[in-house]
Amino acid sequence: MQTPALPPQGATVRARRWRRLRRAVALPLAALALSGCTVPSFGASPGATTSSRSVFHLWQWFSIGAVVIGGFVCLLILYAVLRYRRKGDNIPKQSQYHIPLEMAYVIVPLLIIVGLFAATLVVENKETANPATKVTINVNAFQWGWKFTYPGTNAFVYGQTTQEPEMVMPVGENVHFNLTSSDVIHGFYVEAFNFSRYALPGVKNEFTFYAEKTGTYFGQCTQLCGLYHALMWFRVKVVSQSQYATWIASFNNPADEAAAKAAAKTTYQQTSSVVPTKGSTTKFGR
Ligand SMILES: [Cu+2]
């Protein structure tokens, strides 16, 4: 009877190595896929305003940089682990006091940090710029809702817990915002604008949005502010300039004027003793 020929020793070792390498590559790839990381947005919104688009691009470049540098470091670690894994005198060549190498690994990270800092500074200056504007909206946060008033007009929008107030603003125009709080600290966050600011009692936070496209975007409070914090939603409806003018004009009657004056003075508070629930649980505006 003939004994089957054994595969050559070298081929077995190579097959085992290949299997290990595939596992080493598959594991990080699986981790990346399972983490739900979306490429090329890296989980951020592409942005509906000028500054949010800059923030988005900054985020993209930061993420790409992190992936490249992280990947390079991982490869170096992997190489050292695999190449020098045997015990004994299997020590890599020591190269301390290699001045050019040491200077390179001090200077290169410094340059990277300066680059990241400069890019962040440019984008943040853009985001905090307050150019001259024709439209102003006062945003007032309270437990647990939002009031949006439009100085110089009778328009106002108000809503709490069970409601979803919808702030209206024009596209293609700088709109100035004054953000305040009536009671505790709230967070004004609009995902599509890549923007978040504290609404602080006794402090006026100012910022400007230049919406680049029309649409309805989701906003919410991002600072745990009490019992019904989770119900502090609102919407931002970006409309054309003519639609905005029509909307403002729709408040031009004496009853609206009286209501707007009263709303501007009122500090709203949650009054219902019944546990409020939202009419809809749909997330919109993405
Ligand atoms: Cu809140």
Side-chain angles (χ1 to χ4, degrees):
M1 195 176 154
Q2 208 176 0
T3 328
L6 287 171
Q9 195 70 20
T12 317
V13 171
R14 270 201 300 278
R16 205 181 300 147
R17 274 190 192 157
W18 175 236
R19 263 203 309 276
R20 277 189 196 151
L21 187 69
R22 271 189 307 192
R23 240 176 270 158
V25 173
L27 272 175
L29 284 180
L32 190 72
L34 292 172
S35 67
C37 188
T38 48
V39 179
S41 69
F42 297 99
S45 162
T49 60
T50 312
S51 58
S52 63
R53 291 192 67 74
S54 302
V55 170
F56 174 64
H57 291 137
L58 183 73
W59 170 251
Q60 268 186 316
W61 283 112
F62 265 54
S63 304
I64 290 167
V67 168
V68 170
I69 293 170
F72 179 61
V73 171
C74 282
L75 281 178
L76 290 180
I77 292 172
L78 209 62
Y79 171 76
V81 167
L82 296 175
R83 172 75 177 78
Y84 301 103
R85 67 189 183 283
R86 274 190 224 97
K87 283 182 185 168
D89 56 356
N90 185 30
I91 299 290
K93 183 175 157 269
Q94 301 300 296
S95 52
Q96 64 264 49
Y97 310 117
H98 190 295
I99 302 299
L101 185 68
E102 289 180 9
M103 282 183 69
Y105 68 61
V106 169
I107 290 169
V108 171
L110 273 178
L111 288 177
I112 293 172
I113 290 165
V114 168
L116 295 179
F117 175 78
T120 308
L121 199 69
V122 169
V123 172
E124 289 201 342
N125 279 344
K126 215 186 257 188
E127 183 160 277
T128 53
N130 270 318
T133 53
K134 282 187 275 177
V135 177
T136 299
I137 302 176
N138 292 336
V139 183
N140 178 241
F142 59 91
Q143 286 173 314
W144 290 273
W146 302 91
K147 180 175 77 174
F148 304 97
T149 50
Y150 296 71
T153 78
N154 295 332
F156 79 96
V157 178
Y158 152 79
Q160 63 178 349
T161 54
T162 53
Q163 302 138 334
E164 287 156 17
E166 190 173 81
M167 175 183 93
V168 178
M169 64 175 282
V171 73
E173 190 168 347
N174 282 320
V175 180
H176 186 83
F177 286 82
N178 298 313
L179 175 65
T180 55
S181 165
S182 299
D183 35 49
V184 298
I185 301 173
H186 298 278
F188 173 88
Y189 171 64
V190 183
E191 185 193 12
F193 291 3
N194 286 327
F195 187 90
S196 181
R197 276 289 178 284
Y198 277 140
L200 301 162
V203 175
K204 184 169 77 174
N205 272 334
E206 298 181 58
F207 48 88
T208 304
F209 288 148
Y210 183 99
E212 290 185 343
K213 50 185 181 182
T214 56
T216 304
Y217 306 107
F218 180 74
Q220 65 189 131
C221 176
T222 45
Q223 184 69 24
L224 184 59
C225 58
L227 190 57
Y228 299 127
H229 156 71
L231 301 178
M232 270 186 76
W233 299 0
F234 61 94
R235 276 180 284 187
V236 179
K237 189 175 181 187
V238 179
V239 296
S240 71
Q241 294 185 12
S242 61
Q243 282 171 325
Y244 178 73
T246 310
W247 183 77
I248 289 287
S250 72
F251 290 87
N252 275 354
N253 62 59
D256 288 326
E257 193 178 339
K261 275 186 185 152
K265 280 189 210 144
T266 307
T267 303
Y268 287 104
Q269 282 180 330
Q270 180 67 32
T271 47
S272 171
S273 58
V274 180
V275 176
T277 49
K278 285 279 188 214
S280 122
T281 51
T282 318
K283 198 174 175 188
F284 37 77
R286 298 207 58 182

